[in-house]
Amino acid sequence: MRMRNRFSCVMGGVAVLLTGSSLPAQMSGGGADVRRAAESITMADLREHMEVLAHDSMRGRDTPSPELMETARYVERQFRSSGLEPGLAEGYLQMYPLTRMRPAASGEQQLKIDGPAGSREFVWGEEFFAQHTSAMADASGSLVGIASPDEKKTAAGEIAVIRVSSANLRQVFGGGLRESLAAARPAGLVVVLDVPDQFFQLLRGFLSGERISYGRLEDDGPPVVFVSQAALPGELAAQLTRGGSVPDGWSASLRTESEAAVIEAPNTVGVLVGSDRRLRDEFVLFTAHMDHVGVGGPVDGDSIYNGADDDASGTVTIIELAEAFAALESRPRRSLVFMAVSGEEKGLLGSRWYSEHPAFPIERTVANINIDMVGRNWPDTIVAIGKDESSLGPLVERVSAEHPELNMAVIDDLWPEESFYTRSDHYNFARKGVPVLFFFNGTHEDYHRASDEADKIDYEKMSRIGRLVFYLGLEVANGDEPPSWDPKAYERVVETPRS
């Protein structure tokens, strides 16, 4: 589960709602073969995989790292031994590009603002810092204020300036900044931060050090700099506070430079081809993220953030699900795709890449079941985020009721204010129009700490959640009709109508 860093939802088209009854019961627990496959998801097997993925030798499975590649290869070996076919023509691994960036020397960075009373040059790393959108970028021009990222009134040669406060913080850092740049294409952008010092220092630390960005760095991105409002000339700061506009006579010069290198990270993808000639070209996608946050500051002598619950718990459950489905004597009607993604902790990067470069068509992916943190907290309850958005919600409730031996209540999102819906990999598929369910047990005192260790996992609970997801996935794979969206949820979430 990645730390919160975006909150936006994108509007889209509307689909017709089919009720939960459109997925008839497939006797998910009615045969010895099915029960035997479900019961193959055991505490012992989950623990065995967990002790590999959450071992200190994996050094927290950071994206990217040699240990992450080792993790991806381990998942590949499990998929192959279960009988899954490679998900891609080149094999089980989908490699995707990232850019590693670090700022160049401070003398190569510049923010200078000219006003009626004279010029002010700001100190790099203290008063301003940059979001590097290209290896080197510079621009100068008159300043034009925009009150929000929705305004697109900048012109060629102008420097846009936007003030960020608590009122629009989520909008700007939830994707609005990126969308504004793409739409308005100003010569440069100055983001004025009127925020608590703690947030300023956190953002400065993130952008002033080495960081990883999605894809390959563009060569023509405009320079983007962040500056403390307290450092601005008083007249300019006051005008921005009053309404976001900039008086005549103000201009700025920006220069940013970074050292950049393109690198790669892996997703591991396997497929179990369906048995029905008509439905095998539809896909049920199971996901979990195999990365964590790597090595950090030592706490009581431990600096390796093993990420047992987050999200080795989901990854080992995916491994066991793949083995259980592959062991069925009669394969499900639809094809099943199992994917361990990376880059979740860096901003849902691996799932974003797959959603934009899918091995199997997104428009024929009928559901995404995402598993992220399922090894802690309540022994008899699991949250299914997205349960209110599609017919998958009524279906999982029915499956849970049909299997009282699992003793696993499925409940709605308890923490909507935390925006967990946007913080794990299912979100990239929901935005593309795929109905989703996100199984999640909530955070705890060891979340994103070195103390998230394998010996704190409730493996018996995990085995029951794995069996619940198995029965649910079997229903979806065998149903005559695919899952369907609630129209209001579709309009709220989906990026564009599906083709």
Side-chain angles (χ1 to χ4, degrees):
M1 168 66 62
R2 73 187 179 99
M3 298 292 278
R4 180 193 306 181
N5 62 8
R6 66 176 174 180
F7 303 88
S8 63
C9 282
V10 186
M11 303 300 285
V14 179
V16 177
L17 172 67
L18 300 176
T19 66
S21 62
S22 66
L23 292 171
Q26 300 296 319
M27 297 298 290
S28 61
D33 178 43
V34 170
R35 289 196 300 273
R36 185 166 51 249
E39 291 169 2
S40 72
I41 302 172
T42 66
M43 294 173 54
D45 288 347
L46 292 165
R47 184 189 298 272
E48 181 180 347
H49 296 307
M50 177 69 72
E51 289 177 350
V52 174
L53 298 192
H55 192 269
D56 281 355
S57 62
M58 289 298 192
R59 295 180 56 80
R61 310 185 305 278
D62 195 15
T63 300
S65 67
E67 294 78 19
L68 178 66
M69 277 300 302
E70 187 176 344
T71 301
R73 293 292 188 190
Y74 179 84
V75 176
E76 175 187 359
R77 289 195 297 274
Q78 306 313 308
F79 284 177
R80 182 185 293 109
S81 67
S82 293
L84 299 192
E85 297 178 21
L88 301 104
E90 58 271 28
Y92 293 88
L93 298 190
Q94 180 187 50
M95 304 302 296
Y96 62 95
L98 300 171
T99 300
R100 176 185 278 125
M101 290 177 294
R102 59 173 62 90
S106 60
E108 306 302 324
Q109 324 292 336
Q110 182 186 67
L111 170 60
K112 181 180 178 183
I113 293 181
D114 298 305
S119 298
R120 169 84 157 85
E121 190 154 353
F122 297 82
V123 179
W124 163 257
E126 295 181 17
E127 297 174 318
F128 87 100
F129 45 89
Q131 174 179 307
H132 293 279
T133 56
S134 61
M136 183 172 64
D138 57 64
S140 60
S142 57
L143 283 175
V144 176
I146 55 176
S148 78
D150 295 329
E151 296 189 23
K152 304 175 177 64
K153 62 183 182 182
T154 58
E158 293 180 328
I159 307 295
V161 56
I162 182 171
R163 174 176 171 265
V164 177
S165 66
S166 58
N168 65 349
L169 182 65
R170 291 187 176 188
Q171 181 188 20
V172 172
F173 289 102
L177 193 62
R178 181 178 63 250
E179 292 162 8
S180 180
L181 279 172
R185 302 302 292 175
L189 177 65
V190 177
V191 182
V192 176
L193 296 172
D194 183 16
V195 296
D197 185 64
Q198 181 181 12
F199 182 83
F200 182 89
Q201 300 300 338
L202 181 68
L203 187 61
R204 182 179 70 174
F206 175 69
L207 291 177
S208 296
E210 181 178 288
R211 67 188 184 92
I212 303 296
S213 68
Y214 176 78
R216 294 177 173 84
L217 194 65
E218 297 294 337
D219 291 330
D220 59 350
V224 179
V225 300
F226 299 80
V227 61
S228 168
Q229 178 162 304
L232 292 180
E235 180 186 352
L236 178 59
Q239 187 69 27
L240 288 171
T241 301
R242 283 193 292 268
S245 61
V246 175
D248 292 338
W250 292 89
S251 62
S253 299
L254 319 179
R255 184 175 69 244
T256 64
E257 185 171 340
S258 64
E259 300 169 357
V262 176
I263 52 180
E264 288 188 320
N267 296 325
T268 305
V269 188
V271 61
L272 188 70
V273 177
S275 61
D276 187 292
R277 289 186 178 181
R278 182 175 64 89
L279 297 180
R280 67 175 49 155
D281 289 332
E282 295 181 359
F283 305 93
V284 183
L285 175 63
F286 298 85
T287 54
H289 74 90
M290 58 185 163
D291 65 311
H292 194 54
V293 298
V295 178
V299 179
D300 297 328
D302 187 0
S303 60
I304 298 176
Y305 289 59
N306 299 96
D309 194 27
D310 185 15
D311 181 36
S313 66
T315 305
V316 302
T317 302
I318 289 288
I319 289 171
E320 284 295 288
L321 282 165
E323 183 177 355
F325 278 110
L328 288 169
E329 293 178 7
S330 298
R331 287 194 175 188
R333 299 170 70 192
R334 291 183 174 86
S335 296
L336 307 182
V337 179
F338 301 88
M339 180 165 64
V341 301
S342 64
E344 193 267 2
E345 300 288 0
K346 295 293 197 296
L348 315 184
L349 304 181
S351 58
R352 178 180 171 187
W353 182 265
Y354 182 93
S355 74
E356 295 173 358
H357 306 84
F360 304 95
I362 288 292
E363 64 273 13
R364 294 206 295 271
T365 300
V366 303
N368 171 223
I369 299 173
N370 185 43
I371 309 172
D372 190 348
M373 299 181 66
V374 290
R376 297 284 295 272
N377 298 344
W378 330 282
D380 58 357
T381 306
I382 189 66
V383 171
I385 294 177
K387 191 160 71 71
D388 59 342
E389 289 185 346
S390 75
S391 57
L392 287 171
L395 178 59
V396 72
E397 290 178 344
R398 175 170 67 75
V399 170
S400 176
E402 289 176 352
H403 291 279
E405 77 280 3
L406 298 178
N407 189 30
M408 188 58 61
V410 182
I411 63 173
D412 294 317
D413 185 1
L414 296 176
W415 319 274
E417 72 282 356
E418 295 286 345
S419 193
F420 286 124
Y421 184 87
T422 68
R423 292 167 57 185
S424 192
D425 295 294
H426 62 280
Y427 183 55
N428 282 321
F429 301 106
R431 293 181 68 185
K432 296 292 186 183
V434 179
V436 301
L437 273 183
F438 167 29
F439 288 91
F440 176 54
N441 59 208
T443 60
H444 40 72
E445 67 276 6
D446 299 312
Y447 173 61
H448 278 217
R449 296 185 179 181
S451 51
D452 184 6
E453 300 273 13
D455 60 2
K456 295 184 178 181
I457 295 296
D458 184 344
Y459 296 98
E460 195 274 335
K461 170 193 172 180
M462 278 179 58
S463 68
R464 287 183 284 121
I465 292 172
R467 294 171 191 177
L468 174 68
V469 175
F470 172 82
Y471 289 129
L472 170 67
L474 190 61
E475 291 276 357
V476 176
N478 284 337
D480 291 332
E481 297 294 334
S484 54
W485 281 87
D486 173 87
K488 291 182 179 178
Y490 188 97
E491 183 178 1
R492 183 178 68 249
V493 174
V494 178
E495 190 174 56
T496 54
R498 304 183 82 185
S499 57

